[in-house]
Amino acid sequence: MNHDLQSVIESVRAGDARALARAISTVENHAPGWSDLLKALFPHTGKARIIGLTGAPGAGKSTLVDHLARLYRKEKRTVGIVAVDPTSPYTGGAILGDRIRMQEHFSDPGIYIRSMATRGSLGGLARATADVTTVLDASGRDVILIETVGVGQDEVDIVRLAYITIVILVPGMGDDVQTIKAGIMEIADIFVINKSDHEGAERVEREIRAMQALSARHDGWTPPIVKTVASEGQGIEQLALVIAEYEAYLEKENRAQKKSVNNWQQRLVEMLRDAMLEKARAQLGDGNLARFAAEVAEHKRDPYSLVEEIASRSSD
Ligand SMILES: Nc1nc2c(ncn2[C@@H]2O[C@H](COP(=O)(O)OP(=O)(O)OP(=O)(O)O)[C@@H](O)[C@H]2O)c(=O)[nH]1
Ligand SMILES: [Mg+2]
């Protein structure tokens, strides 16, 4: 390992906030050296508890994350927050209350907040989030909270990398459990019904229970349901408790290990796909894709042979 890289790794692991920010930017932007950095950091990862929180826009994710972060700080655990959402208060377009909360956090070196600015570029958001999380993990954060809006496949991919996934629902808003993407419901280890001060929290709870009665999880865990009023800090301790219970559950019978193997199986496929695609693109060169597309559109070429040809060329 060269001397510069060595010193970057040491600064990141020592918890230096500027080194951490720089390392994250390098990884996020695929700046020169990004993959060497990740290779060198990886051996130092695997200790952080990665908790993913997902839910509809405005469900109260940031407010919950904020309270959880405070609670963990009281327990003297260090926290990293990754907000994967352009509309998140953490991106700076914050309403006043959020901004004040953020400043409070910024004065505490035990909390590091990062929002993911880019969407869909450089191999996808899920991949970028995973890589940023790797850097945070290597920096020795005890807990990493990932906030993401639960709307699409990207989000499902993102929460998949979490050790614990929390799905946040709210009463009303027309989002009955049935209408929520099945994919999102299936990944929940814990359900939170936030805004329980609003009417209809019981109904959401009944709907989740009904759904759970229809399909049991393979691992036998029944995701608990926690009602919260995040804006008042209500239910946060209960949430932290069920998180700890699920952690304890995972520690038994090698479940954590199995979960990790499963996650890596998926992530390796994604990483391979990215790498292969990058290679094929390089092989193709600029402009050729448009030329090939035109040829296929005009039926001068069949796309099946073309793809086979490009794939075999780029595998050399
Ligand atoms: N009444 C009520 N309001 C809440 C509760 N939790 C959060 N809010 C408010 O709901 C609004 C949205 O909260 P956020 O925490 O920003 O929600 P979010 O899910 O992070 O939103 P996005 O990141 O934009 O998707 C804020 O005005 C909060 O103060 C709650 O339990 N009850
Ligand atoms: Mg938010």
Side-chain angles (χ1 to χ4, degrees), residues 20 24 28 49-54 61-62 65 69 79-86 88 90-91 111-118 125-137 141 143-149 158-159 161:
L20 182 59
I24 288 177
E28 197 180 2
R49 282 283 174 264
I50 303 171
I51 305 177
L53 297 99
T54 188
K61 299 177 292 296
S62 298
V65 163
V79 178
I81 298 174
V82 185
V84 192
D85 177 14
S88 166
Y90 299 124
T91 53
I111 293 191
Y112 183 86
I113 302 172
R114 182 75 174 204
S115 66
M116 299 294 296
T118 49
L125 192 57
R127 170 72 191 278
T129 307
D131 291 344
V132 166
T133 304
T134 296
V135 181
L136 274 170
D137 190 344
R141 299 280 138 176
V143 182
I144 300 171
L145 301 167
I146 303 176
E147 171 190 342
T148 166
V149 176
I158 289 165
V159 290
L161 69 96

Side-chain angles (χ1 to χ4, degrees), residues 152-210:
Q153 186 60 42
D154 250 359
E155 282 65 31
V156 176
D157 289 343
I158 289 165
V159 290
R160 211 176 263 139
L161 69 96
Y163 188 70
I164 298 170
T165 300
I166 302 174
V167 170
I168 300 154
L169 304 170
V170 290
M173 284 172 61
D175 56 343
D176 293 342
V177 171
Q178 278 78 4
T179 64
I180 298 194
K181 267 191 69 128
I184 287 283
M185 297 302 285
E186 280 155 20
I187 54 174
D189 301 313
I190 294 164
F191 285 105
V192 165
I193 305 173
N194 190 41
K195 306 200 180 180
S196 286
D197 50 330
H198 291 179
E199 210 185 317
E202 269 71 32
R203 184 170 156 220
V204 178
E205 187 175 9
R206 277 198 305 275
E207 285 175 357
I208 298 169
R209 293 268 180 247

